[in-house]
Amino acid sequence: MKILVAGASGVIGRLLIPMLVQKGHEVVGLIRNPEHAESLKNAGASFVQADVYDRKNLFSVLAETSPEVVIHQLTSLQAMDPSANARIRVEGTRNLVDASLAAGVRRMIAQSITMTYAPGEGPATEDCPLDFEAPEPQLTSVNGVHALETTAAEMLEHVILRYGVLYGEGTWYDSNGLFAEQARLGNLPATDGVTSFVHTEDAAFAAVLALEWPTGTYNIVDSDPAAGTEWVPVYAKALNAPEPMAIPGSVRGERGALNAKALRYGWSPRFASWREGFAQTLH
């Protein structure tokens, strides 16, 4: 199968492309920075260069590449700017879907998130509504996710992967990431807010399986949603950071999610819980 991966140089893309190649697929990585071309070649993939905000060029690239499937792993997280990430979800997805449809692409797999569910009792399933009553800046993220998902749903076949909080190499929760630094400084409090984590390798593996999944939305999270009062002390201990301060309360988006649907379709994460994942990947 010929597959184009948009966001090929990102945290998930870097893991996903070798997995797809190993399965025998012809993989093309869409990159903006040519510096990433060599790593794609080394992984057994080819590459095309385009900016998703340049519609004309993107249409040309998709027409020339003519993939059967487009995997949308585009994010803009470096500056921790919700508006930048919302823009790529809104405008970038719009351009990518339009170019894919024009090129005759049948299926799209798109990266979304679980942190935009409306408040409710217990962790969320895929049927729970998004939080359109959230205050800013959370509402910007909710609207970006909604735009991404509804736009991707214009594809004849579409799979929406709602990832939990990512940890692993290159993430904010990596041993040299932003939140690890905050933990070491004693600035990462343990609150009542519930988080569902997923390791980057498990997230990428879900995208591989999604090539065969029915159209729909899937929570891609581990099986252990946990309050900050549970996971933050374990995270801090794994980093040899000080014991975190406990602060009651939570914020919007801290509900957690359930993964039963993805499990039914054959997803079996390497780390069923962040407890194992932190212990084996943080040092």
Side-chain angles (χ1 to χ4, degrees), residues 1 3 20 25 69 71 107 109 206-213:
M1 189 181 297
I3 303 169
L20 293 170
H25 298 295
V69 179
I71 300 182
R107 170 172 285 245
I109 298 163
V208 176
L209 295 181
L211 292 169
E212 306 296 334
W213 284 355

Side-chain angles (χ1 to χ4, degrees), residues 165 173 179 188-191 193-197 224-237 244 254 274-275 278:
V165 172
Y173 289 85
F179 285 102
L188 185 65
T191 72
V194 176
T195 297
S196 281
F197 286 97
D224 192 8
T229 50
E230 289 185 75
W231 73 260
V232 177
V234 176
Y235 180 67
K237 184 176 181 180
E254 293 183 330
W274 49 270
R275 300 172 200 272
F278 289 173

Side-chain angles (χ1 to χ4, degrees), residues 166-168 171-188 231-232 235-242 278 281-283:
L166 295 169
Y167 69 100
T171 69
W172 292 338
Y173 289 85
D174 196 2
S175 56
N176 60 354
L178 174 67
F179 285 102
E181 179 184 353
Q182 293 301 307
R184 293 188 180 102
L185 292 172
N187 294 333
L188 185 65
W231 73 260
V232 177
Y235 180 67
K237 184 176 181 180
L239 294 166
N240 293 316
F278 289 173
T281 63
L282 294 173
H283 43 76

Side-chain angles (χ1 to χ4, degrees), residues 4 6 30 52 55 58-59 62 70 72 74 88-110 147-158 160:
L4 183 137
L30 178 70
V52 292
R55 278 180 64 90
L58 192 62
F59 271 67
L62 265 291
V70 170
H72 174 356
L74 294 164
I88 207 164
R89 285 174 175 153
V90 176
E91 188 178 338
T93 304
R94 177 77 273 163
N95 293 342
L96 188 62
V97 167
D98 288 349
S100 297
L101 289 170
V105 179
R106 185 177 182 88
R107 170 172 285 245
M108 178 173 286
I109 298 163
L148 179 152
E149 294 186 356
T150 55
T151 303
E154 295 174 19
M155 301 292 296
L156 186 62
E157 299 175 7
H158 56 275
I160 308 298

Side-chain angles (χ1 to χ4, degrees), residues 198-221:
V198 63
H199 191 272
T200 50
E201 291 179 13
D202 291 326
F205 180 50
V208 176
L209 295 181
L211 292 169
E212 306 296 334
W213 284 355
T215 286
T217 302
Y218 301 78
N219 288 337
I220 305 300
V221 295

